[in-house]
Amino acid sequence: MRQRMIKNVSPENHDPTNFDVLSKLNFSSIFENTHDSVWAINTVYDILYTNRVFAAAFYANFGIKLKPGVNLLLSLPEPLRKEWKIRYDRALNNESFSFIDHVRHGDSSLYIEVFMNPIILEEKVVGAMFFGKDITGRKQDEQALIDSQLLLKTSLESQKDTMLFSINRNYEYLYFNTAHYHVMKYAYGCEIEVGMNVLDCISNSEDRLVAKENYDLALRGESHSNIRIFGDENLAYYESFFNPIYNDEHEIVGATGLARDISERRKSELALQKSEQELKELNSTKDKLFSIIAHDLRSPFNNILGFSEMLIDRMDDLTDEETTKFLRYINTSAYNTLTLLENLLNWAKTHTGQINVRIEKTVISDVIFRVLELEKSMGKAKNISLTYINDDSIVVYADENLLRIILRNLISNAIKFTEPGGEITVCVLQKNDWVEVTVADNGVGISPEKIEKLFTVASDSGTRGTANEKGSGLGLVLCKELVEKQGGEIGVESEVGEGSRFMFTLPAKNLSEV
């Protein structure tokens, strides 16, 4: 075909853009055997050469058969002429370049990579030659890779509560998702970028040290995880995972970090643990309650019945002194039983939400005097003196009824565990915004082992007083709960054989107004 084309060129019309150009280019059969498109034009866009691949593609797309001498630019549909003229002119102006053209024809879509070069003879541009390579398969592979990367990135970015990042061996960022970016900006005020040193971005020295330890473990080949707590009041829990990054030679070239916000899960776990603990305490409370009802209430009633029956049966045989003694036993048992019953009822109310706390301005000496007056007979029975060291001007903000219950329990306990002839002192001191009330005795004291569980329902209910008075331990548990309901605290100092000091605090100001 090429020889025929040369013969058709007239020697008289010795146009260097035709016969001489074509003969000097000396196209070889390689252009006819390639799967790529090859074509050439002269300076006025006339075809010098097309191989069969280009001619077939042109005919398939535009229905025009190309041949040498036909103006290639005018053979294109009008919408394409302007764009291709610019390209051809660049090559005819001695510019070599390439581009990728997306060709759509019907339902088909092709990507053609075109290389355009000027044809230069005797230092003059006499035309341009073009090579078009179908790269549709390559572009489809590239697009598939882009799509998969986009899908991966979208998946990573969609994890709002999951922070992802990777670093090299120098702690420099290789990748991070948006969640990690925002956390670093919020926590440390750093707008991170790829290439920045992650340790330099962590302004808190403690956090930086912990982070370095985690990264170093991964960079040494150890995959590991941990849970850390952030914040003061609004606690946030994060579970982090760290893993090494290996190259094809199985060398560690970096590390990845993944952190998930597990605050809700952790709070649910803690709530469950709290519920389990409350259930255990409830069971303990129930056991304590049944124990008190079965033993501590039953025993004094038996004493009252026993002594009263003895009085009735032996009334005529007893002396006045013996009768008084039995009556004192009955009175003491009845008093202790009533106190226990009141404590039991009040304790039940605190655990069923039936106690309404009414905080009011109260002169504490008035309450103490009334309680001491009630306890005087019990102290007199054991020859124990009750002393109040007071300042009448001291005022507390408390519930008067609850305060009376607390004082009665502490004073009656002090009487119970003080030897006859002993002394009990009630003292009130104001310390800034708080008032401290102390009930001190010189009784038997309490061992350190018993102090540890003194204010719990697990306290020893078998402890007896110096006159063999039965104690349940419930009174101190109730005291603690009632003191705390009023915003105060309770504690004890004691030494075996030296007596005890029970102290509790109450606010000297209205806490609701502070």
Side-chain angles (χ1 to χ4, degrees):
M1 182 179 72
R2 177 173 167 274
Q3 292 299 323
R4 234 183 356 258
M5 179 183 68
I6 293 173
K7 289 180 180 179
N8 288 337
V9 178
S10 173
E12 303 90 71
N13 301 325
H14 190 65
D15 185 351
T17 62
N18 290 308
F19 181 82
D20 285 354
V21 171
L22 199 55
S23 61
K24 289 183 179 180
L25 285 175
N26 191 23
F27 294 122
S28 68
S29 61
I30 190 172
F31 294 149
E32 294 299 330
N33 295 323
T34 184
H35 295 292
D36 300 333
S37 295
V38 182
W39 71 101
I41 61 172
N42 61 17
T43 56
V44 292
Y45 316 111
D46 293 337
I47 296 174
L48 296 176
Y49 170 76
T50 63
N51 72 345
R52 58 180 178 80
V53 175
F54 180 74
F58 201 92
Y59 181 77
N61 280 279
F62 308 117
I64 296 176
K65 293 183 178 180
L66 298 179
K67 59 182 180 180
V70 172
N71 190 295
L72 182 58
L73 192 60
L74 296 178
S75 300
L76 289 169
E78 182 64 35
L80 297 178
R81 289 178 189 173
K82 182 177 180 181
E83 180 181 2
W84 277 92
K85 182 178 186 303
I86 293 172
R87 293 170 176 173
Y88 288 149
D89 287 348
R90 288 177 61 187
L92 293 173
N93 286 320
N94 201 17
E95 181 180 351
S96 295
F97 62 99
S98 65
F99 60 90
I100 295 176
D101 203 16
H102 189 190
V103 180
R104 294 181 177 85
H105 182 68
D107 296 332
S108 63
S109 178
L110 298 176
Y111 288 91
I112 306 296
E113 186 173 21
V114 181
F115 298 87
M116 310 189 79
N117 296 281
I119 300 173
I120 301 174
L121 292 177
E122 298 176 357
E123 298 183 355
K124 181 181 179 182
V125 176
V126 295
M129 192 165 192
F130 313 97
F131 298 87
K133 184 175 182 64
D134 186 350
I135 60 168
T136 303
R138 190 185 85 189
K139 290 296 291 184
Q140 289 174 343
D141 292 341
E142 289 176 356
Q143 190 60 45
L145 179 60
I146 291 172
D147 291 343
S148 64
Q149 290 175 337
L150 181 61
L151 178 62
L152 176 61
K153 184 176 181 180
T154 303
S155 300
L156 297 178
E157 292 296 339
S158 66
Q159 306 297 315
K160 301 300 182 183
D161 294 329
T162 302
M163 296 176 291
L164 297 164
F165 67 95
S166 59
I167 57 172
N168 61 20
R169 295 192 65 86
N170 295 322
Y171 311 107
E172 295 166 340
Y173 277 114
L174 299 174
Y175 167 80
F176 53 82
N177 69 347
T178 303
H180 180 72
Y181 172 87
H182 287 309
V183 166
M184 293 296 289
K185 184 176 181 180
Y186 175 78
Y188 307 113
C190 183
E191 297 189 14
I192 59 176
E193 297 178 3
V194 171
M196 293 177 68
N197 188 302
V198 62
L199 298 179
D200 293 341
C201 299
I202 303 175
S203 56
N204 183 283
S205 58
E206 181 181 350
D207 291 351
R208 183 166 56 250
L209 180 62
V210 172
K212 186 176 185 303
E213 291 174 352
N214 286 323
Y215 303 153
D216 288 346
L217 282 175
L219 291 171
R220 289 197 295 268
E222 181 177 336
S223 296
H224 64 102
S225 64
N226 58 61
I227 295 176
R228 289 196 69 198
I229 304 174
F230 297 90
D232 296 321
E233 296 181 1
N234 299 318
L235 298 180
Y237 297 83
Y238 282 89
E239 184 176 23
S240 301
F241 300 84
F242 301 91
N243 295 283
I245 300 174
Y246 294 93
N247 63 11
D248 293 339
E249 286 73 38
H250 205 67
E251 299 171 332
I252 297 175
V253 295
T256 62
L258 182 151
R260 295 184 300 180
D261 185 348
I262 60 168
S263 299
E264 293 304 319
R265 188 190 84 188
R266 186 59 181 159
K267 288 174 183 176
S268 298
E269 292 173 351
L270 293 175
L272 180 60
Q273 292 174 9
K274 183 180 179 181
S275 297
E276 291 175 348
Q277 182 61 32
E278 289 175 349
L279 182 59
K280 289 180 181 178
E281 292 176 358
L282 185 61
N283 286 331
S284 178
T285 300
K286 178 197 68 176
D287 295 341
K288 182 72 172 179
L289 181 63
F290 287 146
S291 173
I292 292 170
I293 293 173
H295 301 96
D296 299 334
L297 276 178
R298 185 176 181 181
S299 179
F301 276 119
N302 286 335
N303 289 338
I304 292 172
L305 289 172
F307 285 126
S308 61
E309 288 174 358
M310 191 178 298
L311 271 175
I312 293 171
D313 292 341
R314 298 176 55 190
M315 180 75 72
D316 296 335
D317 300 330
L318 294 174
T319 64
D320 291 343
E321 185 179 347
E322 288 174 329
T323 300
T324 302
K325 183 179 179 180
F326 283 134
L327 289 174
R328 185 173 287 118
Y329 281 143
I330 292 172
N331 179 263
T332 301
S333 294
Y335 179 85
N336 289 336
T337 304
L338 178 61
T339 301
L340 177 59
L341 184 59
E342 287 180 345
N343 284 339
L344 191 61
L345 292 173
N346 287 323
W347 185 53
K349 287 180 180 179
T350 64
H351 284 263
T352 55
Q354 296 182 40
I355 286 187
N356 296 319
V357 181
R358 295 180 59 186
I359 303 297
E360 296 178 331
K361 190 175 183 180
T362 305
V363 178
I364 195 168
S365 58
D366 294 344
V367 183
I368 294 174
F369 277 129
R370 286 196 292 270
V371 173
L372 287 176
E373 192 65 28
L374 291 171
E375 299 294 326
K376 186 184 294 183
S377 60
M378 292 301 297
K380 188 176 181 181
K382 293 181 70 172
N383 193 28
I384 295 172
S385 66
L386 301 176
T387 305
Y388 174 40
I389 303 173
N390 74 301
D391 181 342
D392 293 342
S393 65
I394 293 180
V395 173
V396 295
Y397 282 83
D399 184 308
E400 186 173 331
N401 291 328
L402 301 188
L403 179 55
R404 188 163 51 247
I405 294 170
I406 296 166
L407 288 167
R408 285 187 64 183
N409 273 286
L410 293 180
I411 293 171
S412 65
N413 262 6
I415 293 172
K416 188 182 299 181
F417 295 103
T418 299
E419 297 285 355
E423 183 180 357
I424 295 171
T425 303
V426 180
C427 178
V428 179
L429 292 174
Q430 183 163 350
K431 299 180 178 180
N432 297 322
D433 295 336
W434 295 90
V435 172
E436 183 179 84
V437 182
T438 303
V439 177
D441 64 64
N442 58 353
V444 296
I446 310 168
S447 67
E449 295 78 15
K450 289 188 176 181
I451 287 178
E452 289 183 1
K453 53 183 182 178
L454 200 59
F455 295 102
T456 67
V457 290
S459 59
D460 185 4
S461 63
T463 303
R464 291 183 177 272
T466 56
N468 205 35
E469 302 100 323
K470 187 72 171 64
S472 67
L474 183 62
L476 290 177
V477 176
L478 181 62
C479 285
K480 181 177 186 296
E481 293 179 358
L482 297 184
V483 167
E484 291 177 349
K485 279 183 177 294
Q486 299 174 87
E489 296 179 349
I490 191 169
V492 60
E493 295 175 357
S494 185
E495 187 176 340
V496 175
E498 299 295 329
S500 304
R501 296 176 69 250
F502 284 84
M503 302 84 66
F504 67 93
T505 59
L506 291 171
K509 290 185 176 181
N510 193 338
L511 295 179
S512 64
E513 297 177 358
V514 176

